[in-house]
Amino acid sequence: MNSSTSFISRRAFLRDGALCLAGLNATTLLAAQADAQPACRIGLITDLHYGDKPAGNTRFYRETFGKLEEAVAKLNAEQLAFVVELGDLIDKAASVEQEIEWLKQIESAFAKTAAP
């Protein structure tokens, strides 16, 4: 063990952890006030995995467009600062050319979001 390493006691850990949790709870309570306005509202979409191919296990590739259209309509109903897509837009295709085509298709649907 390194002599410069210091450990926090269990009591200090519990005290500091409780203070941290109390602080998090206080911000939640403040945000719950009726007149409170969020500083920034964002939309998140993740793991679309579009593909023009049959369903596999729990993935229903061809249903992506309908689900994305529904999500975009809900996102557009909100006043969002921006929308972020966090995961895979498409699934693996037989060729790079096919993947590029699927990207163009899914991007055309995703681009209908009102927020940047």
Side-chain angles (χ1 to χ4, degrees), residues 1-7:
M1 185 182 320
N2 186 342
S3 63
S4 65
T5 303
S6 63
F7 292 97

Side-chain angles (χ1 to χ4, degrees), residues 50 61-73 106 109:
Y50 171 69
Y61 305 105
R62 291 182 178 133
E63 293 181 17
T64 300
F65 275 105
K67 292 177 182 179
L68 181 57
E69 286 176 349
E70 182 181 349
V72 166
I106 202 69

Side-chain angles (χ1 to χ4, degrees), residues 26-46:
T27 59
T28 303
L29 292 174
L30 290 174
Q33 293 177 359
D35 60 345
Q37 295 295 318
C40 181
R41 293 174 46 106
I42 63 170
L44 299 175
I45 296 179
T46 185

Side-chain angles (χ1 to χ4, degrees), residues 17-30:
L19 289 172
C20 182
L21 290 174
L24 290 174
N25 191 32
T27 59
T28 303
L29 292 174
L30 290 174

Side-chain angles (χ1 to χ4, degrees), residues 6-16:
S6 63
F7 292 97
I8 187 169
S9 71
R10 182 174 48 191
R11 181 171 289 158
F13 174 80
L14 292 173
R15 181 196 66 225
D16 294 346

Side-chain angles (χ1 to χ4, degrees), residues 24-113:
L24 290 174
N25 191 32
T27 59
T28 303
L29 292 174
L30 290 174
Q33 293 177 359
D35 60 345
Q37 295 295 318
C40 181
R41 293 174 46 106
I42 63 170
L44 299 175
I45 296 179
T46 185
D47 295 308
L48 298 175
H49 285 279
Y50 171 69
D52 187 10
K53 58 185 184 178
N57 292 329
T58 60
R59 301 232 174 143
F60 301 92
Y61 305 105
R62 291 182 178 133
E63 293 181 17
T64 300
F65 275 105
K67 292 177 182 179
L68 181 57
E69 286 176 349
E70 182 181 349
V72 166
K74 288 184 184 278
L75 292 169
N76 286 344
E78 302 294 327
Q79 292 184 340
L80 303 174
F82 55 92
V83 176
V84 179
E85 201 287 323
L86 297 172
D88 302 318
L89 287 170
I90 63 166
D91 207 73
K92 184 177 179 182
S95 68
V96 172
E97 292 77 22
Q98 182 63 67
E99 289 178 353
I100 291 171
E101 184 59 35
W102 289 353
L103 276 171
K104 288 178 184 177
Q105 292 172 6
I106 202 69
E107 170 56 26
S108 69
F110 187 69
K112 294 177 182 173
T113 55

